[in-house]
Every structure is written in C-alpha cells, then in structure tokens.
Amino acid sequence: MTGSIRPAEGADAEVIQAIETAADALLIDVLGAWQWPPAADGASRLSSPGFVLVGEDEADHSPVGFVHVLDVDGHAHLEQLSVLPEAGRRGHGRGLVAAALDEARERGYTRVTLRTYAEVPWNAPFYASCGFLESIPETPFLRDLVDVEASLGLDRYGRRVQMTVEL
C-alpha cells in the first residue's frame, strides 16, 4: 500500500460517504443492480459503536478509502470497506483490512465477521486472501443481517455469505 492509515475524524464524514458512493457505483455496474441502497451517512458511521479508519494517498494525503468496524454486543463486525475505484489495486483495501484487524485485536476482540458477495472478485475471494473463512451467522445480530439484506434485495444480485477471521 502506498499511503497511511489513521482513525477517522468528524471532518471525514462527507468524504467517507463520497468514497462509499464511488465504490458502490463500481459494484452496481458489475452486479447489474437496478436498485441499490444509498451509501450510509458518514456522520452516522462515525457515531456508531466501533471504529472507522481512513486510508490516505501517499502523495497528497487525500482520503482514498475507509473501513468501518461495528461493535455489536461485544463482537466486531466489518460493516464496510470502500476504496475509490481510481485508487484500486494499489493495496489500500488490503492495508485497511489489516489495520482494522490489528485495531480489533488491540481492542480485545477475538474475531471479526463480515457479510459480502460470494462471487465478486473484490468481495469474498479478496477477504479469503486476508484470512476470512465462510461461516454461519451465530448471533442474533448476524442472523438479523441476513433478513436486512433480503429486505433490501441485495440477494437478488448474487449469493451473499458471512465470513469470519479469528484474531
């Protein structure tokens, strides 16, 4: 990765939402998604229990990606990883995942879960290369996520899976 990673600040709220919107556009195109939920409000992400880390470009220190890890009932859940498409394939996503796992470990978590598309190359195959394995939703929160995704219609665009990495 070329750049640095830092904790997100309140001033990052708008850029976090803009990064997610740009990254979602690439996913929407690949999936052929005709309906897609809008990117989450950046301020909401920053105020959620857990943490948000921002990846910055090495040259100008501009934000190029972020990772959002929720704390739900004492469990860490990687809620969102987004990198600007023009900054893709430079290690920013991998660096953000590694930093998120390190931060989760430092906060005392023993594993991190996520939900993603099974067949999109930069989704489940990418996370598998970061050590995540397909798993079964075991907590009420994780089981509820399956229902939320179905209500949003995300499953109509491809198989969704849960993945877990032990720290």
Side-chain angles (χ1 to χ4, degrees):
M1 182 184 120
T2 58
S4 59
I5 296 173
R6 62 172 174 77
E9 303 169 351
D12 295 317
E14 285 185 34
V15 75
I16 285 170
Q17 188 171 352
I19 290 169
E20 184 175 351
T21 298
D24 280 357
L26 184 60
L27 184 62
I28 290 165
D29 185 51
V30 165
L31 295 174
W34 58 91
Q35 290 182 312
W36 196 259
D41 176 68
S44 295
R45 286 201 183 281
L46 293 173
S47 66
S48 298
F51 59 91
V52 179
L53 303 175
V54 173
E56 297 181 325
D57 182 69
E58 181 178 47
D60 63 5
H61 301 286
S62 63
V64 295
F66 75 92
V67 62
H68 178 202
V69 176
L70 285 173
D71 176 316
V72 181
D73 301 327
H75 300 283
H77 181 77
L78 196 159
E79 172 63 19
Q80 184 69 33
L81 171 67
S82 292
V83 174
L84 290 171
E86 60 268 22
R89 309 218 29 98
R90 296 186 203 157
H92 294 292
R94 189 169 303 281
L96 283 162
V97 169
L101 297 181
D102 288 344
E103 180 69 20
R105 192 176 295 108
E106 287 178 25
R107 289 176 180 232
Y109 297 106
T110 58
R111 66 185 186 155
V112 176
T113 58
L114 61 84
R115 290 201 47 86
T116 194
Y117 283 100
E119 282 82 31
V120 175
W122 62 87
N123 279 201
F126 165 77
Y127 290 116
S129 75
C130 294
F132 286 82
L133 300 172
E134 205 167 318
S135 57
I136 297 169
E138 297 170 338
T139 68
F141 167 75
L142 294 172
R143 288 189 295 273
D144 286 346
L145 276 182
V146 175
D147 295 334
V148 169
E149 289 176 356
S151 73
L152 292 171
L154 299 183
D155 52 355
R156 76 180 108 184
Y157 304 116
R159 185 170 70 92
R160 302 279 299 168
V161 295
Q162 177 180 299
M163 300 182 83
T164 302
V165 64
E166 301 294 330
L167 300 177

